[in-house]
Amino acid sequence: MCQLLGMNCNVPTDICFSFAGFQARGGVTDHHRDGWGIAFFEGRGVRVFLDPQPSANSPVAELVRNYPIRSLNVIAHIRKATQGQVRLDNTHPFQRELWGRYWIFAHNGNLLDYAPALTGRFLPVGSTDSEAAFCHILQCLAQRFPDGPPSAVALHETLRELTIEIGQHGEFNYLLSDGEHLFAHCSSRLAFIVREAPFTVAHLADQDMTVDFSRHTTPNDRVAVIATVPLTDNETWQQMTPGSLVAFRHGAPVPLGDTPTIASQPSRATGSR
Amino acid sequence: MCQLLGMNCNVPTDICFSFAGFQARGGVTDHHRDGWGIAFFEGRGVRVFLDPQPSANSPVAELVRNYPIRSLNVIAHIRKATQGQVRLDNTHPFQRELWGRYWIFAHNGNLLDYAPALTGRFLPVGSTDSEAAFCHILQCLAQRFPDGPPSAVALHETLRELTIEIGQHGEFNYLLSDGEHLFAHCSSRLAFIVREAPFTVAHLADQDMTVDFSRHTTPNDRVAVIATVPLTDNETWQQMTPGSLVAFRHGAPVPLGDTPTIASQPSRATGSR
């Protein structure tokens, strides 16, 4: 099982605090040692830092932890390999371009007997089920909306349909962003928190580290943080319902549609954690 | 005018030494202050480090200079903006996927009145002439070879044709790689050196720094370094002929075809330096 971390904000924000706790799970407080990566959208651009070595002792992770890159949308991933060797080309998050926008994708789970019919428009470079699913999603979006990006509602609805289809192959928690929205799908395990005024002090679950957000924010700031397992131990995180696909924008969930991607089956979902 | 740096090797090699000199040109020994980037192929994977701030004082550049990432193909770029604002999405090198391979592109020059007819398969995210040219090239390759990558000879020939077409719009020095070959096109200014046994001591032109390559190599190693301006002042670099498109593989130029992309017009080429 890998771990996901996402951040969506209404003003460019750095992820240094959350990343410090997340980084520790890549070999210190948890066993996800098979590489890690993080993508920062800045305007229309994106920069992706990847390292096939464990995040806990990666020089690249040290840079990310100490260099405050301010971003509206961030997706990070630490890997415990299920399919595909430990190699750079299998390291999440993955990046492609569609409609003149960069898309970033990271997956936590395991898809079995999954071999989508890919036309060639988007092809995996590595050998993970995750990158195949990403290519499949983008191919379908490109086919359905050849003239450019649809409305957010139509995009959400199409993603929901595709997620149902792909999710039949197994556990499919994912984060996906085009730099504007951050889509989070909970197949079995994903939680989020929206931080907004009045800001308080947060304490990491994985390291003895606190931050007083009221010192680093303005009253209008709003930040949503999404993670496989809550990153702090003194705040209330919202566990996402298995089957929910939530679009975040400007630091909060956007009501685009609430039809779940899987029927509510908590016992089955719990079983696959 | 931007500056290009490329490396192509027969064994995975780090670029720390060359990068130290190159980095200084981004704000210390030269005025290319509008961002920089570097891409390392590792196997089929690629990682791209980008920073819209000057390389001379970029924390990301410090990491790259001190973290020996070993690669067969590297492309780096420091930018002096001609078209497009100083933003992350305009920072070279650019990355796309075609045929299940990553492609990396960086450009030095300026294309005027250049608006290629793009079908949508590859679209620029930023606003540079360079990214538009990259998308144009990949679109044409995808159209001409829909079933997958052609032979190296056919690829070289097609690139040559496209380069002639695009080069009619202006200065078009570029580096392009799919992780196997590194293509270097000299429109006005590009030089390279092939280092092989017996290895000697090299001294940077931009910093008082030397390296004794015989201490870091085996007799079978071979490394080609390509740069806008030679990086060392005690070695003989080969100035590329304007109009030449050279494919490097395993650390040396590969004879794939020697038809130039432009007629030999040294006076005109000199004038555009």
Side-chain angles (χ1 to χ4, degrees):
Chain A
M1 272 282 286
C2 310
Q3 293 220 8
L4 297 169
L5 168 63
M7 185 177 75
N8 169 273
C9 322
N10 66 348
V11 292
T13 303
D14 80 65
I15 200 169
C16 295
F17 174 71
S18 294
F19 187 75
F22 190 67
Q23 179 194 16
R25 295 182 182 172
V28 174
T29 58
D30 211 333
H31 56 264
H32 308 86
R33 297 187 57 84
D34 301 331
W36 70 281
I38 188 166
F40 298 87
F41 279 96
E42 291 162 84
R44 296 175 62 83
V46 70
R47 40 181 162 174
V48 185
F49 295 87
L50 299 171
D51 209 342
Q53 52 174 304
S55 59
N57 48 18
S58 154
V60 187
E62 276 305 301
L63 172 82
V64 168
R65 195 155 75 107
N66 295 306
Y67 180 36
I69 296 175
R70 295 180 196 283
S71 173
L72 292 182
N73 283 287
V74 177
I75 290 179
H77 183 271
I78 46 181
R79 186 164 180 240
K80 175 79 183 67
T82 49
Q83 293 184 38
Q85 294 178 301
V86 178
R87 292 194 319 240
L88 182 62
D89 52 310
N90 288 334
T91 304
H92 306 221
F94 300 102
Q95 175 186 345
R96 292 292 188 278
E97 170 264 314
L98 170 63
W99 302 319
R101 299 177 179 184
Y102 291 121
W103 291 74
I104 295 289
F105 177 83
H107 167 219
N108 155 351
N110 195 19
L111 302 173
L112 299 172
D113 304 319
Y114 176 63
L118 297 174
T119 61
R121 167 75 188 263
F122 300 95
L123 290 176
V125 174
S127 54
T128 61
D129 51 337
S130 313
E131 193 185 8
F134 181 38
C135 291
H136 182 186
I137 288 172
L138 293 184
Q139 172 181 300
C140 293
L141 291 178
Q143 284 171 337
R144 198 165 304 187
F145 306 105
D147 299 326
S151 69
V153 170
L155 182 58
H156 183 271
E157 176 57 23
T158 305
L159 284 175
R160 195 187 65 78
E161 289 174 26
L162 292 168
T163 302
I164 291 173
E165 184 188 333
I166 299 169
Q168 289 170 349
H169 291 269
E171 204 171 0
F172 192 45
N173 304 289
Y174 71 75
L175 299 176
L176 171 72
S177 182
D178 63 350
E180 186 176 343
H181 288 87
L182 193 155
F183 294 94
H185 179 251
C186 173
S187 159
S188 58
R189 190 163 60 161
L190 206 54
F192 72 87
I193 188 169
V194 172
R195 295 193 182 110
E196 54 195 335
F199 289 97
T200 55
V201 173
H203 179 263
L204 285 183
D206 295 79
Q207 291 196 27
D208 187 12
M209 187 169 160
T210 57
V211 66
D212 181 352
F213 286 117
S214 68
R215 292 181 157 208
H216 303 278
T217 49
T218 72
N220 295 324
D221 292 3
R222 194 171 56 194
V223 177
V225 178
I226 306 110
T228 300
V229 176
L231 287 164
T232 55
D233 53 16
N234 68 332
E235 297 177 298
T236 304
W237 290 63
Q238 184 167 338
Q239 294 292 340
M240 287 176 63
T241 310
S244 57
L245 174 66
V246 178
F248 291 88
R249 188 160 185 254
H250 298 160
V254 189
L256 294 176
D258 53 5
T259 324
T261 62
I262 54 175
S264 184
Q265 291 170 314
S267 61
R268 183 180 146 199
T270 305
S272 67
R273 277 185 196 181
Chain B
M1 271 282 286
C2 310
Q3 293 220 8
L4 296 169
L5 168 63
M7 185 177 75
N8 170 273
C9 321
N10 66 348
V11 292
T13 304
D14 79 66
I15 199 169
C16 296
F17 174 71
S18 294
F19 187 75
F22 189 67
Q23 179 194 14
R25 294 181 184 173
V28 174
T29 59
D30 212 332
H31 55 262
H32 308 85
R33 298 187 58 84
D34 301 331
W36 70 281
I38 188 166
F40 299 87
F41 278 97
E42 292 163 83
R44 297 175 62 83
V46 70
R47 42 181 160 174
V48 185
F49 295 86
L50 300 172
D51 209 343
Q53 51 174 304
S55 60
N57 47 19
S58 154
V60 188
E62 276 305 299
L63 171 83
V64 168
R65 194 154 78 105
N66 296 307
Y67 180 36
I69 297 176
R70 295 180 195 284
S71 171
L72 292 181
N73 284 288
V74 177
I75 290 179
H77 182 272
I78 45 179
R79 183 162 183 241
K80 175 79 181 71
T82 49
Q83 293 183 36
Q85 294 179 302
V86 178
R87 292 195 317 240
L88 182 61
D89 52 309
N90 289 333
T91 305
H92 307 222
F94 300 101
Q95 174 186 346
R96 292 290 189 279
E97 170 264 316
L98 170 62
W99 303 319
R101 299 177 178 183
Y102 291 120
W103 292 74
I104 294 289
F105 178 82
H107 166 220
N108 155 351
N110 195 18
L111 302 173
L112 299 172
D113 303 319
Y114 175 64
L118 298 174
T119 62
R121 167 75 188 263
F122 299 96
L123 289 177
V125 174
S127 54
T128 62
D129 51 337
S130 313
E131 192 185 9
F134 181 37
C135 291
H136 182 186
I137 289 172
L138 293 184
Q139 172 180 301
C140 293
L141 291 177
Q143 284 172 337
R144 198 165 305 186
F145 307 104
D147 300 326
S151 69
V153 171
L155 182 58
H156 183 271
E157 176 57 23
T158 305
L159 284 176
R160 196 188 65 77
E161 289 174 27
L162 292 169
T163 302
I164 291 172
E165 184 187 334
I166 299 169
Q168 289 171 349
H169 292 270
E171 203 171 0
F172 192 45
N173 303 288
Y174 71 76
L175 299 176
L176 171 73
S177 182
D178 64 350
E180 186 175 343
H181 289 88
L182 193 155
F183 294 94
H185 179 251
C186 173
S187 158
S188 58
R189 190 162 61 160
L190 206 53
F192 73 88
I193 187 168
V194 173
R195 296 196 182 108
E196 55 194 336
F199 289 97
T200 54
V201 173
H203 179 263
L204 285 183
D206 295 78
Q207 292 197 26
D208 188 13
M209 187 171 161
T210 58
V211 66
D212 182 352
F213 286 117
S214 68
R215 293 181 157 208
H216 303 278
T217 50
T218 72
N220 296 324
D221 292 3
R222 193 171 56 194
V223 176
V225 178
I226 306 111
T228 300
V229 176
L231 287 164
T232 56
D233 53 17
N234 67 332
E235 298 177 298
T236 304
W237 290 64
Q238 184 168 337
Q239 294 291 341
M240 288 177 62
T241 310
S244 57
L245 173 67
V246 178
F248 292 87
R249 189 162 185 252
H250 298 160
V254 189
L256 294 177
D258 53 5
T259 322
T261 61
I262 54 175
S264 183
Q265 290 170 312
S267 62
R268 183 180 147 199
T270 305
S272 67
R273 274 184 198 183

